[in-house]
Amino acid sequence: MTKTTREVCSLEVSRRDMFKVAAGAVGAAAIVGLTGSEVLAQSRMAKTAAQYQASPRSGQTCGKCTNYIVASSTCKVIDGTVSANGWCSLFVAKA
Ligand code: SF4
């Protein structure tokens, strides 16, 4: 091999290594994303622990709470679906 050939071979190996690193990084990101979702899902509180009820309390409702997710009728902090007319002890009024 001439010096030029060695340099080319070295460059090809380097590219291969870069692809391996890139593929590993994508795989690791996918794993971290999945784990993050699972952690988020498991970190929500049970309705009973938050004293959730399907009716308003003192004019406060899930629909008026900053934790309410309208599109899915879910809550950022309580597990499962919730009613827009429901309420729990973690109510936080929308600003
Ligand atoms: S925190 Fe409580 S009041 Fe607010 S949306 Fe969730 S369940 Fe409803």
Side-chain angles (χ1 to χ4, degrees):
M1 267 190 212
T2 65
K3 185 175 181 182
T4 304
T5 304
R6 267 188 246 143
E7 288 173 357
V8 169
C9 288
S10 175
L11 181 61
E12 286 176 0
V13 170
S14 181
R15 284 182 183 163
R16 222 175 277 143
D17 288 344
M18 286 173 48
F19 282 123
K20 286 179 185 175
V21 169
V26 170
I31 291 169
V32 168
L34 179 61
T35 302
S37 297
E38 288 175 350
V39 168
L40 180 62
Q42 292 177 355
S43 65
R44 290 184 176 160
M45 184 181 288
K47 289 178 180 175
T48 52
Q51 301 172 318
Y52 174 81
Q53 59 188 45
S55 57
R57 181 166 180 174
S58 303
Q60 297 177 339
T61 66
C62 292
K64 296 176 183 175
C65 178
T66 191
N67 293 318
Y68 186 59
I69 303 169
V70 177
S72 57
S73 295
T74 56
C75 171
K76 295 175 186 172
V77 294
I78 299 299
D79 193 27
T81 58
V82 296
S83 168
N85 291 318
W87 174 90
C88 87
S89 61
L90 301 176
F91 174 87
V92 178
K94 288 181 180 175

